[in-house]
C-alpha cells in the first residue's frame, strides 16, 4: 500500500509523512523557478497538500491512479495551479479532476528559465472553466466554514477531518451518548448550510 | 462541478471545505512542532560544541600550567646545603619523584615522632628539628612541581609561606615564579 492508499485507509501518520517527504523539494522549486518567498511557498505547499488530501478522501485520487512516483509531480502541478489562480485572484476548487492540474505539469526547461519567464508561461495557460458565480460561491463556502462558531467548529473537525467515531467524539466533547453526537452534527451542518445559503442570497445568487 | 449544481452538492463541498481547513491547521501545527524540535537540536549541538571547546581549552590550559610548574620545579637548586639529606636530593635529581616523596614522608614521620618526645630539652635542637620538618615540606612541594601538579604545589607553598618559618621566603620566591 503506497502513501495514498494509507491516507485513504485512515492512517493518521501517513499524511504527516507525505507532508514532510515532499516539503523541501516543493519549496526549493517554487523559490527558484517562480521567485516565491519562503512563507508564500509554504502556504502554497500546505494548500497543495490539503487539496491532495481532499481529493484522496473524495476518491478522485486513489493508489491506482496516483502511484508513489507521481505524487511529487502532482503536488508541484497543484502548487502551480494554485499560484495561477492566486495571480488571478480566483478560488481553487475544493475537489477536482487530476487532468485539470496536470495541464500545469512542468518540464525541465523550467529549471533553466528565469522566474519571470516561468511566471509568463504560467499566465499563458488558458482556463476556460472559470465561472464567476462558482468562484464567489466557493469563497462563501470557505469563509462560512471559517466563521462557524464553537462547538460546531470543533465537532465538525473531529468528525469530518479527523474521522473520529461518534463514541470518541462523545468522550472528547463530554456528550451524554452517541445519539447526542449525531443530532449535534446534523444541527451544525444545518447551521452551516443556512449560513452559506443566506450569504449566496446576499450576493444575489438565489439558487 | 459548476455554479448551477453547487447547491445540489453543497454538503459534499462543505465537508471538503471542513477537511481543507482541518488539514491546513494540522500542517501549521506540524510546522510549529518541527521548528521547536529543530531549535532543541540546534541548542543541543551548540551546547555540546561549547562543552567540547571548554574541555579542549581546559586541557590546553592544564597542560600549559603543568608544563610551567615543572620548569620552575626543575630550576630549583637541590644541591645547595644538601637539602633534606643526600638520599632525598639524590632521588629528586635522578627524577625518581615518587620514591623521593616516599622518603620525605618517612623522614617526616620520624621527625614528628621525635618532636613528640624529644631526647633533649635543648631549644636549638628542637628548633632545628622544626626547620628540618619545614624543609621536608618545601622539598615535597618541589616534588609536586616537578610532577606538574600546579594546584597541589601552590597550596603546599602557600602553607609554608604562611607558617613564617625559615623556608617561608624560599616558598614565597617559588610562588612568584609560578
Amino acid at each position: 500500500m503506497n502513501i495514498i492508499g494509507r491516507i485513504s485507509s485512515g492512517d493518521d501518520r501517513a499524511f504527516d509523512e507525505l507532508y514532510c517527504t515532499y516539503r523541501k523539494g516543493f519549496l526549493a522549486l517554487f523559490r527558484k523557478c517562480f521567485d516565491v518567498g519562503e512563507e508564500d511557498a509554504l502556504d502554497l505547499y500546505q494548500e497543495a497538500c490539503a487539496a491532495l488530501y481532499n481529493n484522496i478522501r473524495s476518491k478522485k485520487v486513489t493508489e491506482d491512479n496516483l502511484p508513489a512516483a507521481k505524487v511529487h509531480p502532482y503536488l508541484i502541478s497543484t502548487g502551480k495551479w494554485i499560484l495561477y489562480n492566486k495571480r488571478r485572484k480566483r478560488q481553487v476548487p475544493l475537489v477536482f479532476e487530476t487532468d485539470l492540474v496536470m495541464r500545469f505539469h512542468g518540464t525541465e526547461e523550467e529549471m533553466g528559465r528565469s522566474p519571470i519567464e516561468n511566471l509568463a508561461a504560467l499566465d499563458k495557460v488558458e482556463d476556460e472553466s472559470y465561472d464567476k458565480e462558482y468562484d464567489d460561491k466557493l469563497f462563501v463556502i470557505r469563509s462560512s466554514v471559517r466563521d462557524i462558531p464553537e462547538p460546531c467548529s470543533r465537532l465538525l473537525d473531529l468528525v469530518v477531518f479527523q474521522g473520529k467515531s461518534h463514541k470518541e467524539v462523545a468522550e472528547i466533547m463530554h456528550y451524554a451518548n452517541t445519539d447526542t453526537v449525531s443530532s449535534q452534527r446534523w444541527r451544525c451542518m444545518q447551521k452551516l448550510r443556512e449560513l452559506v445559503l443566506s450569504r449566496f442570497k446576499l450576493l444575489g445568487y438565489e439558487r | 462541478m459548476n455554479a448551477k449544481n453547487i447547491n445540489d452538492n453543497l454538503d459534499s463541498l462543505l465537508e471538503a471545505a471542513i477537511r481543507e481547513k482541518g488539514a491546513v491547521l494540522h500542517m501549521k501545527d506540524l510546522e510549529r512542532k518541527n521548528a521547536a524540535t529543530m531549535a532543541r537540536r540546534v541548542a543541543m549541538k551548540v551546547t555540546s560544541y561549547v562543552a567540547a571547546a571548554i574541555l579542549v581549552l581546559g586541557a590546553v590550559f592544564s597542560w600549559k600550567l603543568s608544563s610551567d610548574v615543572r620548569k620552575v620545579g626543575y630550576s630549583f637548586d637541590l644541591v645547595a646545603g644538601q637539602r633534606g639529606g643526600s638520599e632525598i636530593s639524590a632521588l629528586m635529581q635522578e627524577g625518581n619523584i615518587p620514591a623521593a616523596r616516599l622518603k620525605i614522608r618517612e623522614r617526616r614521620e620520624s621527625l614528628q615522632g621525635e618532636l613528640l618526645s624529644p631526647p633533649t630539652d635543648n631549644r636549638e635542637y628542637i628548633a632545628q628539628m622544626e626547620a628540618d620538618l619545614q624543609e621536608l615540606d618545601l622539598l615535597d612541594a618541589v616534588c609536586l612541581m616537578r610532577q606538574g601538579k600546579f594546584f597541589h604545589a601552590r597550596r603546599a607553598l602557600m602553607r609554608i609561606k604562611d607558617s613564617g618559618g625559615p623556608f617561608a621566603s624560599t616558598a614565597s620566591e617559588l610562588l612568584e615564579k609560578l
Side-chain angles (χ1 to χ4, degrees), chain A residues 16 19 23 42-43 46 49 54 57-58 94 134 137 142 145 153 157 160-161 185 193 200 207, chain B residues 1-4 6-7 10-11 13-23 26-28 30-31:
Chain A
D16 292 358
Y19 180 79
R23 183 185 182 278
L42 191 59
D43 285 342
Q46 289 175 351
C49 287
N54 247 335
R57 294 286 298 271
S58 312
L94 285 159
Y134 182 63
K137 284 182 171 179
R142 283 191 165 105
V145 163
S153 177
D157 180 74
V160 177
F161 170 62
R185 182 191 171 161
R193 242 181 260 118
F200 282 175
R207 264 313 274 168
Chain B
M1 182 118 20
N2 56 39
K4 303 300 172 212
I6 206 168
N7 290 28
L10 189 55
D11 276 10
L13 286 172
L14 287 173
E15 288 194 357
I18 292 165
R19 279 197 298 267
E20 182 186 79
K21 178 188 163 194
H26 177 78
M27 285 182 279
K28 290 198 186 303
L30 199 58
E31 281 289 328

Side-chain angles (χ1 to χ4, degrees), chain A residues 26 48 51-53 55-56 60-61 65-66 69-80 96-99 101-102 105:
Chain A
F26 184 102
L52 173 58
Y53 181 75
N55 280 340
I56 294 170
K60 294 275 183 200
V61 167
N65 66 25
L66 193 70
K70 299 267 172 132
V71 172
H72 186 237
Y74 183 95
L75 282 170
I76 299 291
S77 300
T78 307
K80 283 197 226 166
F96 45 83
E97 302 297 334
T98 303
D99 57 4
V101 302
M102 293 320 278
H105 182 62

Side-chain angles (χ1 to χ4, degrees), chain A residues 63-171:
Chain A
E63 198 178 359
D64 297 325
N65 66 25
L66 193 70
K70 299 267 172 132
V71 172
H72 186 237
Y74 183 95
L75 282 170
I76 299 291
S77 300
T78 307
K80 283 197 226 166
W81 186 40
I82 294 170
L83 181 61
Y84 171 87
N85 281 291
K86 276 183 191 282
R87 285 169 67 79
R88 285 165 174 69
K89 300 196 189 332
R90 291 179 189 173
Q91 294 289 312
V92 176
L94 285 159
V95 177
F96 45 83
E97 302 297 334
T98 303
D99 57 4
L100 197 61
V101 302
M102 293 320 278
R103 289 178 301 156
F104 295 87
H105 182 62
T107 63
E108 283 175 12
E109 283 174 5
E110 247 170 21
M111 297 301 282
R113 291 198 297 237
S114 70
I116 293 174
E117 286 170 323
N118 284 330
L119 285 168
L122 188 70
D123 289 342
K124 278 187 191 152
V125 174
E126 284 175 18
D127 182 12
E128 287 153 8
S129 66
Y130 178 68
D131 176 336
K132 188 172 185 325
E133 183 181 334
Y134 182 63
D135 202 69
D136 288 345
K137 284 182 171 179
L138 276 182
F139 177 80
V140 164
I141 288 169
R142 283 191 165 105
S143 60
S144 301
V145 163
R146 263 200 318 272
D147 295 343
I148 192 100
E150 297 290 351
C152 286
S153 177
R154 187 146 190 246
L155 185 139
L156 292 173
D157 180 74
L158 286 168
V159 174
V160 177
F161 170 62
Q162 296 188 40
K164 300 274 185 217
S165 67
H166 284 194
K167 190 178 171 203
E168 286 171 314
V169 174
E171 276 171 32

Side-chain angles (χ1 to χ4, degrees), chain B residues 77-92:
Chain B
D77 186 5
L78 288 166
V79 176
Q82 288 279 335
R83 295 190 194 275
S86 58
E87 196 180 356
I88 292 172
S89 298
L91 285 169
M92 286 175 73

